[in-house]
Amino acid sequence: MNPLRQLAEFGQSVWVDNLQRSYITKGTLKKFIEEDGLKGLTSNPTIFQKAVSGSDDYQDLFDAAKGKGINGNDLYEQLAVRDVQGAADILKTVYDATKGQDGYASLEVSPRLALDTHGTLEEARRLWKTLARPNVMIKVPGTVPGVPAFEQLTSEGINVNVTLLFSQERYKEIAEAYVSGLEKLAASGGDVSRVASVASFFVSRIDAIVDKELEKKLKAGATPEQQKAMEGLSGKVAIANAKLAYRTFKEVFGSARWKALAAKGAKVQRVLWASTSTKSPKLRDVLYVEELIGRDTVNTMPPATIDAFRDHGKVRPSLEEDLPAAEATMRQLEAAGISMKTVTDELATDGIRLFSESFDQLLSAVGEKLKKT
């Protein structure tokens, strides 16, 4: 059996972390759904930037915009909205079959609004109205200003994919904000059963930065005991961090507060594992899929990881295995002089910067193509 399809037996959904026009026009997305059991799709500014710069899939929009005074930002939004609507329409069969559990396509608010609660709210509401599909999610960053924005949007019945989560502490804030948002929606007479959300918890970037820090410390000089402890941490911290975040998920969604909402038909906010392609050639290319398999989770994979897991992925209920070892890994990290808070704060800041840079490059690429049309 296709290992990708087997993941469903353990309560995990496969989404693809990619979107370009050809996915819709050439049947790529439909093929993923039919052959691999794909159940959703995520996008971000980097993905759109590559799609626009690397193809002529959007030439019809550029031709239509010629001489009409449309700027790059507006044209980008047109192409992004069209692609996400097209993906959502193809995924509607999944949405219907799973009664709204799956079948979602995501579109991100501008990364420039990552530290602006009010701006995030306004843009998320506008995109939600523009997309006009029940099976879309608006991506909102899990920054400090993003938490209240997410809670408010949830209370308004808007589906949100909270992105750029790295720390267990911020994840807990987001999970509790979801519960609070649904409680407000229920209190106002809204239907909590119509709301869906995922919390995108990033994985591989943790190991990428931690392993660099470990290398620095080893080069700076360490005792043989310290060396052994640090070498044993390489490639282990991201999975340990994710497992402990999932433990928090079970606590929040096993609480009495949650059970009261579940009785009204509320859906849990699933944990979505993001950044699941390995960044180091030393690691197994499907490591961040194989080690994070569990109920009420999603793994959004880039196409290369989907291909790799289809080819040689091994499936087992791994997510709750050996939690004491995960705790020990985090203690060893602190003992090695590496602060997990510093690591996750840096990654969150870098994530905003990288998405903002991609967004600027995207708008530049759109603007250049518009000039040349």
Side-chain angles (χ1 to χ4, degrees):
M1 186 178 178
N2 183 338
L4 291 161
R5 283 190 168 275
Q6 281 182 278
L7 290 171
E9 296 173 19
F10 297 93
Q12 185 169 81
S13 297
V14 177
W15 291 10
V16 62
D17 191 26
N18 198 34
L19 177 58
Q20 56 195 67
R21 192 72 193 147
S22 60
Y23 270 36
I24 297 155
T25 58
K26 295 183 179 177
T28 305
L29 181 57
K30 192 168 184 286
K31 186 178 178 184
F32 272 138
I33 294 167
E34 291 172 351
E35 296 184 4
D36 296 317
L38 187 92
K39 292 181 179 175
L41 176 148
T42 48
S43 68
N44 61 47
T46 303
I47 285 169
F48 276 118
Q49 186 258 324
K50 289 176 181 175
V52 171
S53 300
S55 76
D56 293 320
D57 288 353
Y58 303 95
Q59 195 57 47
D60 61 323
L61 285 180
F62 287 104
D63 291 340
K66 188 176 180 181
K68 293 184 179 176
I70 296 173
N71 63 35
N73 193 85
D74 289 343
L75 190 56
Y76 151 68
E77 189 167 302
Q78 282 184 28
L79 69 88
V81 164
R82 183 176 71 167
D83 277 5
V84 172
Q85 284 178 327
D89 290 344
I90 293 168
L91 285 161
K92 185 65 163 50
T93 55
V94 178
Y95 176 81
D96 291 339
T98 61
K99 297 180 180 176
Q101 182 74 17
D102 269 302
Y104 293 91
S106 301
L107 180 61
E108 189 151 358
V109 297
S110 167
R112 294 170 178 169
L113 299 171
L115 302 177
D116 179 352
T117 302
H118 180 70
T120 294
L121 281 169
E122 286 196 332
E123 179 149 321
R125 288 167 180 148
R126 183 177 60 77
L127 289 174
W128 174 254
K129 188 175 179 181
T130 301
L131 287 164
R133 301 289 191 280
N135 60 322
V136 294
M137 286 185 176
I138 308 301
K139 289 180 83 174
V140 170
T143 55
V144 172
V147 176
F150 163 59
E151 183 175 322
Q152 179 60 32
L153 292 167
T154 300
S155 76
E156 295 173 16
I158 294 174
N159 300 332
V160 179
N161 174 345
V162 187
T163 188
L164 286 177
L165 298 175
F166 297 94
S167 76
Q168 297 168 46
E169 295 76 16
R170 183 57 49 78
Y171 166 70
K172 186 175 183 181
E173 287 180 44
I174 290 299
E176 290 176 343
Y178 179 64
V179 176
S180 296
L182 286 183
E183 286 173 338
K184 290 176 185 174
L185 179 61
S188 67
D191 184 356
V192 295
S193 71
R194 297 176 66 86
V195 182
S197 179
V198 292
S200 292
F201 198 86
F202 282 55
V203 186
S204 66
R205 295 187 195 183
I206 297 277
D207 279 341
I209 193 168
V210 166
D211 285 359
K212 281 182 185 175
E213 289 299 312
L214 290 169
E215 284 176 24
K216 280 185 199 172
K217 288 189 173 292
L218 286 167
K219 285 177 183 174
T223 66
E225 291 79 8
Q226 287 173 327
Q227 286 181 1
K228 186 177 180 182
M230 286 192 275
E231 285 167 1
L233 287 173
S234 181
K236 298 280 181 64
V237 175
I239 290 166
N241 191 48
K243 284 186 173 187
L244 295 174
Y246 183 71
R247 183 174 66 183
T248 299
F249 160 82
K250 294 198 77 175
E251 290 167 359
V252 172
F253 293 100
S255 69
R257 282 180 72 195
W258 176 253
K259 286 173 182 173
L261 287 164
K264 296 174 182 175
K267 300 178 183 73
V268 297
Q269 181 195 44
R270 290 179 296 169
V271 182
L272 179 147
W273 307 123
S275 182
T276 54
S277 60
T278 49
K279 305 290 190 277
S280 168
K282 297 175 186 176
L283 300 175
R284 185 167 163 82
D285 59 357
V286 290
L287 176 74
Y288 300 120
V289 184
E290 290 180 337
E291 299 303 319
L292 297 173
I293 301 169
R295 299 204 67 78
D296 293 316
T297 62
V298 176
N299 197 313
T300 187
M301 311 176 202
T305 304
I306 284 179
D307 290 344
F309 198 80
R310 184 194 304 114
D311 180 68
H312 53 266
K314 301 286 190 293
V315 179
R316 72 182 200 281
S318 53
L319 189 49
E320 295 184 88
E321 285 179 356
D322 210 353
L323 287 179
E327 291 175 332
T329 294
M330 304 311 284
R331 286 196 300 270
Q332 282 177 261
L333 185 69
E334 296 291 335
I338 298 174
S339 162
M340 194 62 184
K341 185 179 186 308
T342 300
V343 167
T344 55
D345 286 352
E346 182 181 330
L347 283 167
T349 301
D350 278 354
I352 295 166
R353 177 181 58 79
L354 291 169
F355 277 170
S356 293
E357 287 174 0
S358 289
F359 191 64
D360 291 343
Q361 290 166 11
L362 168 60
L363 295 185
S364 176
V366 170
E368 284 302 310
K369 281 200 172 188
L370 200 52
K371 284 179 189 175
K372 292 175 183 176
T373 298

